[in-house]
Amino acid sequence: MKPVIPVFFATDNNYAPFVAITLESILENCSKDYFYHFHILTTDLDKKYEEVIAKYESEDVKIEFISLKTILTKIKVKFHLRDYYSIETYYRFFIANMYPQYDKVLYMDCDIVCLGDIAELYNTDITNLFLAASPEEVMAEVKVFGDYVEKALDVPVNEYFNAGIMVMNLAEFRKENIEDQFFKMINRFRFRVTQDEDYLNVLCKGKTKILDLGWNKTAFKNDKFDDKNLKLVHYKINWKPWKHKNILYEDLFWKYAAKTEFYDMIKQKLEDYTDEQRAKDIVAYENLVQMAIDDMNDPYNYKNMMAKEKESK
């Protein structure tokens, strides 16, 4: 009986084709000494996508689709959210209590290509920690975002992690009631810049292991990074080869995309993406920069409010 590695994705119809690309890359490079149980969290995933993705099942691979529609309807009551939040963004907060049979899992975004062995990643020692994850490269390399992390969230920029690839200690999440802490925090503080990632970094501060950047490399040029350490590429923000051309590591993306049944569909996405849409992407990024500036200068941001509470005690 092979040891089981539980892996979680969250997706919708827009990103379902990219789950196939991610699975292609993972299964080509993973150790054959394990059994892989992929849990795909969704709300209303089209059956046509489920049927194609399910084809990746094998003797050592199980793929399970889990609709959170009913669960999320119940959870909504706890949020008291205004319309700028999307509950789907926060699936990863619910895994620990939804799956008490697991003490440790991998959580992975589906806009990635994995070149390393996820068994190696899963076997990271996270005893007494909440999780292990790589640095958020955008925060580390773009000063305004690094300043935001430190001045708004009170998290040292070198400790701020990307929440798209995580080894999660669910036992520790349950022990410290992270889900309940999250509900309390989200109803008090509005983290707008990276939303779920910001909440996770604040809640898990001081109890995380920072992994090598090679396990979550953003698809942009970083002279500090040696490609020989590349184990996983994350195509996020404006570095998406299905929207923009001449993206770093796009050859790796298209290599695995070509092995899926969604290749033609994704190629068409690139061809159909207009210059007007690309211009809007640039504006959206600029707006994100301004949002970070506004939030770090907000006298009522998380860091400032925590400091005031400390002073008043």
Side-chain angles (χ1 to χ4, degrees):
M1 190 80 173
K2 294 182 178 181
V4 177
I5 295 181
V7 185
F8 284 80
F9 298 120
T11 194
D12 58 15
N13 287 324
N14 291 323
Y15 270 82
F18 303 105
V19 173
I21 297 173
T22 299
L23 286 171
E24 278 282 354
S25 65
I26 287 174
L27 297 176
E28 182 173 306
N29 295 292
C30 66
S31 168
K32 308 308 177 188
D33 297 331
Y34 295 84
F35 182 90
Y36 299 90
H37 190 165
F38 294 97
H39 302 75
I40 301 176
L41 307 179
T42 185
T43 305
D44 287 305
L45 192 62
D46 195 304
K47 289 297 180 184
K48 68 181 181 183
Y49 293 127
E50 288 191 11
E51 289 170 2
V52 174
I53 294 168
K55 293 178 182 178
Y56 288 94
E57 283 198 326
S58 69
E59 183 180 359
D60 292 325
V61 177
K62 179 176 176 58
I63 296 176
E64 184 178 1
F65 298 92
I66 303 100
S67 172
L68 299 188
K69 193 170 185 178
T70 302
I71 295 171
L72 290 179
T73 300
K74 296 177 181 178
I75 287 174
K76 276 184 180 180
V77 179
K78 296 185 179 182
F79 272 88
H80 308 294
L81 295 181
R82 293 182 288 275
D83 59 6
Y84 47 75
Y85 282 112
S86 169
I87 290 180
E88 285 77 10
T89 307
Y90 302 96
Y91 281 169
R92 65 205 82 186
F93 281 98
F94 311 136
I95 295 172
N97 290 337
M98 283 176 56
Y99 289 86
Q101 68 269 38
Y102 293 140
D103 285 341
K104 183 181 184 182
V105 303
L106 283 180
Y107 178 89
M108 308 186 82
D109 280 351
C110 46
D111 51 356
I112 68 168
V113 161
C114 187
L115 309 172
D117 177 3
I118 64 167
E120 176 189 339
L121 178 62
Y122 178 80
N123 287 325
T124 302
D125 183 4
I126 49 173
T127 305
N128 298 323
L129 300 174
F130 286 127
L131 56 86
S134 294
E136 174 50 83
E137 192 175 10
V138 176
M139 302 304 191
E141 298 301 320
V142 182
K143 187 177 186 303
V144 65
F145 291 120
D147 290 345
Y148 159 78
V149 163
E150 298 196 334
K151 295 178 181 179
L153 305 179
D154 197 25
V155 176
V157 68
N158 63 336
E159 295 179 16
Y160 189 97
F161 58 86
N162 180 276
I165 309 295
M166 297 185 292
V167 189
M168 301 178 69
N169 186 340
L170 300 191
E172 202 69 17
F173 266 60
R174 290 188 289 266
K175 177 182 174 184
E176 299 297 330
N177 297 313
I178 290 296
E179 184 179 307
D180 288 344
Q181 289 188 51
F182 163 66
F183 283 128
K184 291 175 183 176
M185 184 171 286
I186 199 172
N187 282 296
R188 183 177 178 191
F189 294 102
R190 179 187 178 192
F191 295 160
R192 303 185 299 164
V193 177
T194 58
Q195 298 187 9
D196 59 304
E197 188 166 280
D198 284 344
Y199 289 105
L200 274 166
N201 270 275
V202 170
L203 289 169
C204 298
K205 178 183 173 182
K207 289 190 67 175
T208 64
K209 176 177 286 188
I210 301 299
L211 301 173
D212 184 272
L213 181 60
W215 274 115
N216 198 338
K217 176 73 182 76
T218 312
F220 63 61
K221 180 66 175 173
N222 182 345
D223 291 334
K224 302 172 190 173
F225 182 77
D226 189 335
D227 277 355
K228 72 180 182 182
N229 298 318
L230 187 65
K231 297 177 181 177
L232 187 149
V233 182
H234 200 162
Y235 301 97
K236 60 192 183 190
I237 312 179
N238 285 350
W239 300 284
K240 301 177 186 291
W242 59 94
K243 292 184 177 182
H244 304 273
K245 296 180 179 179
N246 301 314
I247 299 295
L248 188 65
Y249 309 126
E250 66 181 6
D251 57 324
L252 296 172
F253 175 83
W254 292 115
K255 169 189 171 183
Y256 288 104
K259 298 181 180 183
T260 75
E261 295 183 30
F262 298 116
Y263 178 73
D264 291 337
M265 177 195 296
I266 298 169
K267 267 292 187 183
Q268 195 61 49
K269 279 180 180 285
L270 177 61
E271 295 307 315
D272 291 344
Y273 209 70
T274 66
D275 289 341
E276 182 181 359
Q277 287 174 300
R278 294 185 180 101
K280 286 182 178 179
D281 286 342
I282 295 171
V283 171
Y285 182 81
E286 292 170 349
N287 289 341
L288 195 65
V289 169
Q290 188 58 52
M291 194 182 296
I293 293 170
D294 292 343
D295 287 2
M296 81 171 80
N297 292 320
D298 182 355
Y300 300 102
N301 68 27
Y302 172 80
K303 180 178 181 178
N304 291 333
M305 292 305 293
M306 291 299 100
K308 288 177 183 177
E309 288 186 9
K310 189 175 180 180
E311 289 174 6
S312 64
K313 288 182 180 179

